[in-house]
Amino acid sequence: MGRMGAQNSNGFDGRHDKSSGPSVALFVTCLVDLYRPSVAFSALSLLGRAGCAVAVPEVQTCCGQPAFNSGDRKTTEAIVRRFLPEFMKYDYVVLPSGSCAGMFRKHLPDLFEDDEVMAEQARSLAAKSYELTSFLVDVMGFDEVQSGFRGRVTYHDSCAGLRELTVKAQPRRLMASVPGLKLVEMADCEECCGFGGTFCVKYPEISTRMVDNKIGNIERSGAETILAGDLGCLLSIAGRLKRQGSPIKVRHVVEVLAEPATRPAIGEKD
């Protein structure tokens, strides 16, 4: 692992909580590890408060989604073969990303057509993998968080989390438990932000138009902060907001659920 691994070597030993609750492996995701490791630490905090015994297996790298979406099954299978046996050891696997969680739950079962042993393990792993807010609310029944965050926010429903995993009510239920947080829904909150992984590279003009539409809705909501559950969406939105000189802050939802959010927002100098 990258930055997350570097922080592990400075005092984080791969365990976060010695709870007798279910064993949970946190799959950090590439973007979180490389661009926003604070999301992973916020996730660890929330999972620990929910009563989970949490680990961060260092064998993880990518979930395989970029290769899979590009039609490269051979590379996808090689990536999954590397981490799958380690993650099978845990009761659950949790990911702070609807996109990566969607890869686990919806697409891992379709791999390994010629290897029934690996195929069965992939199906088993898929069945116990969850997006973070869904896991907290739907599995752990944990829907009240202690956070000092204050401010008006709006929420972007990322495509994969919403359409593949039906993640919508769960983050809102958690946000509703934060006394200082006021959610103001923007128009078309379920429409794509234009990121779409390699979509924004293949079709930059269309992607730019889509993110501009999203930013217009964010601004009209009157929110001071835009939240979402996928870092890819947030990086795209933050980059466009910065280019336009907007003061609106961009954060992953788990950051405001776990803490008062005193650190710089995404795209701001650390």
Side-chain angles (χ1 to χ4, degrees), residues 147-157 171-187 189 217-229 234 248-257 259-261 265:
S147 170
F149 179 84
R150 300 188 64 83
R152 290 167 56 87
V153 308
T154 195
Y155 192 84
H156 164 64
D157 294 290
R172 288 169 171 80
R173 186 166 175 177
L174 290 164
M175 286 187 285
S177 73
V178 180
L181 185 154
K182 179 175 177 55
L183 174 64
V184 287
E185 297 283 8
M186 68 172 125
C189 60
N217 289 331
I218 294 168
E219 291 175 335
R220 284 187 288 274
S221 75
E224 303 152 344
T225 303
I226 169 66
L227 304 177
L234 292 166
I248 295 172
K249 297 183 181 300
V250 182
R251 298 187 186 276
H252 194 290
V253 65
V254 305
E255 294 181 288
V256 304
L257 294 175
E259 59 189 47

Side-chain angles (χ1 to χ4, degrees), residues 181-207:
L181 185 154
K182 179 175 177 55
L183 174 64
V184 287
E185 297 283 8
M186 68 172 125
D188 301 323
C189 60
E190 297 183 355
E191 286 194 4
C192 180
C193 69
F195 175 66
T198 56
F199 175 87
C200 63
V201 178
K202 293 179 180 178
Y203 307 103
E205 295 85 2
I206 299 173
S207 176

Side-chain angles (χ1 to χ4, degrees), residues 134-153:
S134 173
F135 178 75
L136 291 172
V137 174
D138 300 333
V139 178
M140 297 303 296
F142 180 77
D143 57 6
E144 291 188 14
V145 298
Q146 300 295 321
S147 170
F149 179 84
R150 300 188 64 83
R152 290 167 56 87
V153 308

Side-chain angles (χ1 to χ4, degrees), residues 81-97:
R81 281 182 186 275
R82 184 170 184 269
F83 68 72
L84 195 154
E86 179 65 25
F87 279 81
M88 285 295 296
K89 300 175 184 178
Y90 299 89
D91 296 328
Y92 298 100
V93 178
V94 174
L95 306 92
S97 162

Side-chain angles (χ1 to χ4, degrees), residues 102-122:
M103 177 65 190
F104 270 51
R105 288 192 68 89
K106 298 296 183 180
H107 304 299
L108 289 194
D110 296 329
L111 297 176
F112 309 111
E113 294 176 347
D114 300 323
D115 187 336
E116 182 54 34
V117 173
M118 288 297 294
E120 178 57 33
Q121 289 189 10

